[in-house]
Amino acid sequence: MRGEYCHRRPQRCRQVHPRQTPRRPLYPHPHHRHRTWDTTDLTTVDPDELFSRLAMLPQDIARWQATIRENITLGQDDQTNDTVLAAAHAAGAIEVIDSLPDGLDTHIRPSQSGGRDLSGGKWQRIAAARAYARTNAPLLICDEPTSALDSRAEQAAYDRIRELATNRTVILITHRLGSTQHADRIIVLDHGRILEEGTHNTLLTAAGEYAAMWTTRASAYTPAPAIAGPGSTTPAATGAVR
């Protein structure tokens, strides 16, 4: 890598971390600070201009004591109701907003202070709407964007991320492998170092760390052999997923 970070659009890139691996950002060597976006040296770009081109959905989301509208649009230019609701729809947050007494204008504050608060999953959808509201950002970074969602909501969230990947680059940082097979490029990191890089199929063929993680995940969903009771061909018990 030698510290050369290049952004080329559009593509879907997944950074995969083994579950027990400490989360460390991938930084260039201190003696090599050359980062480019296409052909532009980022050290020459105004930070505000750079940030305006990024949309971020972090794992640890900001929960501002403000209205739902402000939680979606804070830090951005004025946006119309239609724009805000379109972002909320893309994030699967419309049901959350419709359940609130004042919709987008509902003020959110901690319930212990007598206010109305949201669950972790609902907050994650509002945070997703915040990222999706940046419609002009060519780079969307998602860090464990489904950590507070159930399995159905998680799959729906990944489907929406794939839809939003049109004409932009998406970087998804995750331990979960449910969506990695759709990535154009997968990077497996361990303690900040690149272990493997490639597509889903090429990494499975390589039989390395990614293939081991994928096989482990897949085995959890493989039906166990039925155990028949004494003198019977009927399974003695069935398992249920809760």
Side-chain angles (χ1 to χ4, degrees):
M1 290 290 286
R2 296 183 307 190
E4 295 183 0
Y5 273 22
C6 298
H7 167 273
R8 298 179 179 86
R9 56 178 182 174
Q11 60 179 316
R12 291 165 294 182
C13 177
R14 266 64 168 177
Q15 289 185 4
V16 178
H17 298 254
R19 174 59 68 178
Q20 301 302 322
T21 299
R23 301 291 298 279
R24 293 186 182 180
L26 183 61
Y27 291 130
H29 189 279
H31 297 300
H32 300 277
R33 291 293 184 181
H34 183 60
R35 304 180 183 91
T36 62
W37 186 313
D38 292 334
T39 58
T40 302
D41 184 350
L42 293 183
T43 61
T44 66
V45 176
D46 181 89
D48 290 338
E49 174 67 18
L50 175 61
F51 296 150
S52 70
R53 296 176 179 271
L54 302 178
M56 180 72 183
L57 180 50
Q59 182 176 9
D60 299 321
I61 59 179
R63 306 184 183 198
W64 292 306
Q65 296 184 39
T67 66
I68 291 293
R69 183 193 307 277
E70 290 168 332
N71 266 280
I72 294 175
T73 63
L74 196 63
Q76 305 178 54
D77 295 331
D78 292 338
Q79 300 197 27
T80 65
N81 264 10
D82 289 344
T83 302
V84 176
L85 290 174
H89 178 75
I94 287 295
E95 291 182 1
V96 177
I97 295 170
D98 288 344
S99 70
L100 298 173
D102 297 315
L104 286 172
D105 296 316
T106 301
H107 196 284
I108 303 299
R109 60 183 184 275
S111 56
Q112 62 265 30
S113 64
R116 177 180 291 272
D117 204 351
L118 301 176
S119 67
K122 291 179 178 179
W123 265 117
Q124 199 154 42
R125 297 184 190 199
I126 296 301
R130 183 185 306 153
Y132 299 161
R134 292 179 172 269
T135 56
N136 294 325
L139 179 59
L140 172 62
I141 303 173
C142 302
D143 184 2
E144 299 285 5
T146 62
S147 58
L149 302 181
D150 60 41
S151 57
R152 290 185 179 180
E154 176 183 22
Q155 185 57 53
Y158 284 139
D159 289 342
R160 286 190 291 270
I161 289 174
R162 284 197 294 273
E163 292 172 3
L164 292 165
T166 304
N167 296 324
R168 73 166 76 186
T169 294
V170 176
I171 297 177
L172 174 62
I173 305 167
T174 185
H175 288 106
R176 305 184 182 191
L177 304 184
S179 68
T180 54
Q181 59 186 312
H182 301 290
D184 301 306
R185 183 181 179 194
I186 300 170
I187 300 172
V188 183
L189 299 177
D190 183 21
H191 292 83
R193 293 182 176 275
I194 295 177
L195 290 182
E196 298 174 297
E197 184 176 351
T199 65
H200 174 74
N201 289 333
T202 59
L203 290 177
L204 287 184
T205 302
E209 181 65 26
Y210 178 83
M213 289 189 292
W214 180 267
T215 302
T216 300
R217 174 187 177 275
S219 65
Y221 294 95
T222 301
I227 302 175
S232 172
T233 58
T234 303
T238 57
V241 178
R242 295 183 173 84

PDB file of all heavy atoms in Angstrom, residues 30 36 41 72 82 95 132-133 135 155 160 163 172:
ATOM      1  N   PRO A  30       3.542   6.285   8.356  1.00  0.00           N
ATOM      2  CA  PRO A  30       3.741   7.717   8.635  1.00  0.00           C
ATOM      3  C   PRO A  30       4.658   8.425   7.660  1.00  0.00           C
ATOM      4  O   PRO A  30       4.585   9.642   7.513  1.00  0.00           O
ATOM      5  CB  PRO A  30       4.321   7.715  10.064  1.00  0.00           C
ATOM      6  CG  PRO A  30       4.789   6.320  10.304  1.00  0.00           C
ATOM      7  CD  PRO A  30       3.889   5.438   9.511  1.00  0.00           C
ATOM      8  N   THR A  36      -5.046   9.999  -2.595  1.00  0.00           N
ATOM      9  CA  THR A  36      -5.682  10.655  -3.734  1.00  0.00           C
ATOM     10  C   THR A  36      -7.120  10.217  -3.861  1.00  0.00           C
ATOM     11  O   THR A  36      -7.504   9.116  -3.475  1.00  0.00           O
ATOM     12  CB  THR A  36      -4.951  10.317  -5.052  1.00  0.00           C
ATOM     13  OG1 THR A  36      -5.015   8.905  -5.290  1.00  0.00           O
ATOM     14  CG2 THR A  36      -3.498  10.755  -5.001  1.00  0.00           C
ATOM     15  N   ASP A  41      -4.889  15.095  -5.118  1.00  0.00           N
ATOM     16  CA  ASP A  41      -4.160  14.890  -3.871  1.00  0.00           C
ATOM     17  C   ASP A  41      -4.992  15.484  -2.732  1.00  0.00           C
ATOM     18  O   ASP A  41      -5.227  16.692  -2.692  1.00  0.00           O
ATOM     19  CB  ASP A  41      -2.794  15.568  -3.953  1.00  0.00           C
ATOM     20  CG  ASP A  41      -1.933  15.307  -2.723  1.00  0.00           C
ATOM     21  OD1 ASP A  41      -2.446  14.761  -1.731  1.00  0.00           O
ATOM     22  OD2 ASP A  41      -0.740  15.672  -2.752  1.00  0.00           O
ATOM     23  N   ILE A  72     -31.843  14.308  11.047  1.00  0.00           N
ATOM     24  CA  ILE A  72     -31.565  13.841   9.691  1.00  0.00           C
ATOM     25  C   ILE A  72     -30.772  14.872   8.885  1.00  0.00           C
ATOM     26  O   ILE A  72     -29.902  14.516   8.087  1.00  0.00           O
ATOM     27  CB  ILE A  72     -32.879  13.488   8.966  1.00  0.00           C
ATOM     28  CG1 ILE A  72     -33.540  12.279   9.640  1.00  0.00           C
ATOM     29  CG2 ILE A  72     -32.637  13.196   7.479  1.00  0.00           C
ATOM     30  CD1 ILE A  72     -34.898  11.920   9.069  1.00  0.00           C
ATOM     31  N   ASP A  82     -39.982  16.754   1.175  1.00  0.00           N
ATOM     32  CA  ASP A  82     -39.901  15.633   0.239  1.00  0.00           C
ATOM     33  C   ASP A  82     -38.517  14.999   0.266  1.00  0.00           C
ATOM     34  O   ASP A  82     -38.379  13.767   0.220  1.00  0.00           O
ATOM     35  CB  ASP A  82     -40.236  16.102  -1.181  1.00  0.00           C
ATOM     36  CG  ASP A  82     -41.706  16.423  -1.355  1.00  0.00           C
ATOM     37  OD1 ASP A  82     -42.511  16.008  -0.490  1.00  0.00           O
ATOM     38  OD2 ASP A  82     -42.059  17.093  -2.352  1.00  0.00           O
ATOM     39  N   GLU A  95     -41.781   4.225   9.017  1.00  0.00           N
ATOM     40  CA  GLU A  95     -42.632   3.694  10.073  1.00  0.00           C
ATOM     41  C   GLU A  95     -42.286   4.316  11.421  1.00  0.00           C
ATOM     42  O   GLU A  95     -43.170   4.554  12.242  1.00  0.00           O
ATOM     43  CB  GLU A  95     -42.491   2.171  10.147  1.00  0.00           C
ATOM     44  CG  GLU A  95     -43.084   1.436   8.946  1.00  0.00           C
ATOM     45  CD  GLU A  95     -42.962  -0.066   9.094  1.00  0.00           C
ATOM     46  OE1 GLU A  95     -42.433  -0.518  10.138  1.00  0.00           O
ATOM     47  OE2 GLU A  95     -43.385  -0.791   8.179  1.00  0.00           O
ATOM     48  N   TYR A 132     -28.231   8.948   4.022  1.00  0.00           N
ATOM     49  CA  TYR A 132     -28.838   8.887   2.702  1.00  0.00           C
ATOM     50  C   TYR A 132     -29.317  10.257   2.229  1.00  0.00           C
ATOM     51  O   TYR A 132     -29.511  10.468   1.031  1.00  0.00           O
ATOM     52  CB  TYR A 132     -30.003   7.904   2.694  1.00  0.00           C
ATOM     53  CG  TYR A 132     -29.615   6.483   3.045  1.00  0.00           C
ATOM     54  CD1 TYR A 132     -30.560   5.556   3.467  1.00  0.00           C
ATOM     55  CD2 TYR A 132     -28.283   6.066   2.969  1.00  0.00           C
ATOM     56  CE1 TYR A 132     -30.201   4.262   3.791  1.00  0.00           C
ATOM     57  CE2 TYR A 132     -27.908   4.775   3.305  1.00  0.00           C
ATOM     58  CZ  TYR A 132     -28.879   3.873   3.717  1.00  0.00           C
ATOM     59  OH  TYR A 132     -28.509   2.596   4.039  1.00  0.00           O
ATOM     60  N   ALA A 133     -29.502  11.192   3.174  1.00  0.00           N
ATOM     61  CA  ALA A 133     -29.928  12.544   2.796  1.00  0.00           C
ATOM     62  C   ALA A 133     -28.835  13.275   2.025  1.00  0.00           C
ATOM     63  O   ALA A 133     -29.110  14.239   1.306  1.00  0.00           O
ATOM     64  CB  ALA A 133     -30.321  13.351   4.042  1.00  0.00           C
ATOM     65  N   THR A 135     -27.444  13.165  -0.776  1.00  0.00           N
ATOM     66  CA  THR A 135     -27.624  12.544  -2.094  1.00  0.00           C
ATOM     67  C   THR A 135     -26.502  12.866  -3.064  1.00  0.00           C
ATOM     68  O   THR A 135     -26.294  12.139  -4.041  1.00  0.00           O
ATOM     69  CB  THR A 135     -28.966  12.973  -2.702  1.00  0.00           C
ATOM     70  OG1 THR A 135     -29.018  14.416  -2.745  1.00  0.00           O
ATOM     71  CG2 THR A 135     -30.129  12.463  -1.858  1.00  0.00           C
ATOM     72  N   GLN A 155     -31.429  -7.534   6.466  1.00  0.00           N
ATOM     73  CA  GLN A 155     -31.438  -7.851   5.043  1.00  0.00           C
ATOM     74  C   GLN A 155     -32.023  -6.708   4.233  1.00  0.00           C
ATOM     75  O   GLN A 155     -31.514  -6.355   3.156  1.00  0.00           O
ATOM     76  CB  GLN A 155     -32.235  -9.134   4.790  1.00  0.00           C
ATOM     77  CG  GLN A 155     -32.194  -9.602   3.338  1.00  0.00           C
ATOM     78  CD  GLN A 155     -30.788  -9.826   2.838  1.00  0.00           C
ATOM     79  OE1 GLN A 155     -30.014 -10.557   3.482  1.00  0.00           O
ATOM     80  NE2 GLN A 155     -30.413  -9.220   1.729  1.00  0.00           N
ATOM     81  N   ARG A 160     -31.184  -1.969   0.594  1.00  0.00           N
ATOM     82  CA  ARG A 160     -31.237  -0.525   0.316  1.00  0.00           C
ATOM     83  C   ARG A 160     -29.848   0.027   0.040  1.00  0.00           C
ATOM     84  O   ARG A 160     -29.674   0.904  -0.810  1.00  0.00           O
ATOM     85  CB  ARG A 160     -31.890   0.208   1.497  1.00  0.00           C
ATOM     86  CG  ARG A 160     -33.392   0.011   1.582  1.00  0.00           C
ATOM     87  CD  ARG A 160     -34.004   0.935   2.611  1.00  0.00           C
ATOM     88  NE  ARG A 160     -33.625   0.573   3.961  1.00  0.00           N
ATOM     89  CZ  ARG A 160     -34.292  -0.272   4.730  1.00  0.00           C
ATOM     90  NH1 ARG A 160     -35.368  -0.871   4.263  1.00  0.00           N
ATOM     91  NH2 ARG A 160     -33.904  -0.532   5.956  1.00  0.00           N
ATOM     92  N   GLU A 163     -29.022  -0.642  -3.461  1.00  0.00           N
ATOM     93  CA  GLU A 163     -29.741   0.267  -4.352  1.00  0.00           C
ATOM     94  C   GLU A 163     -29.064   1.638  -4.387  1.00  0.00           C
ATOM     95  O   GLU A 163     -28.955   2.270  -5.441  1.00  0.00           O
ATOM     96  CB  GLU A 163     -31.188   0.419  -3.885  1.00  0.00           C
ATOM     97  CG  GLU A 163     -32.032  -0.846  -4.039  1.00  0.00           C
ATOM     98  CD  GLU A 163     -33.395  -0.710  -3.384  1.00  0.00           C
ATOM     99  OE1 GLU A 163     -33.683   0.388  -2.865  1.00  0.00           O
ATOM    100  OE2 GLU A 163     -34.159  -1.693  -3.391  1.00  0.00           O
ATOM    101  N   LEU A 172     -18.243  -0.694   3.095  1.00  0.00           N
ATOM    102  CA  LEU A 172     -18.954  -1.324   4.202  1.00  0.00           C
ATOM    103  C   LEU A 172     -17.948  -2.032   5.093  1.00  0.00           C
ATOM    104  O   LEU A 172     -17.252  -2.940   4.651  1.00  0.00           O
ATOM    105  CB  LEU A 172     -19.992  -2.316   3.678  1.00  0.00           C
ATOM    106  CG  LEU A 172     -20.715  -3.170   4.716  1.00  0.00           C
ATOM    107  CD1 LEU A 172     -21.517  -2.286   5.675  1.00  0.00           C
ATOM    108  CD2 LEU A 172     -21.626  -4.187   4.038  1.00  0.00           C
TER     109      LEU A 172
END
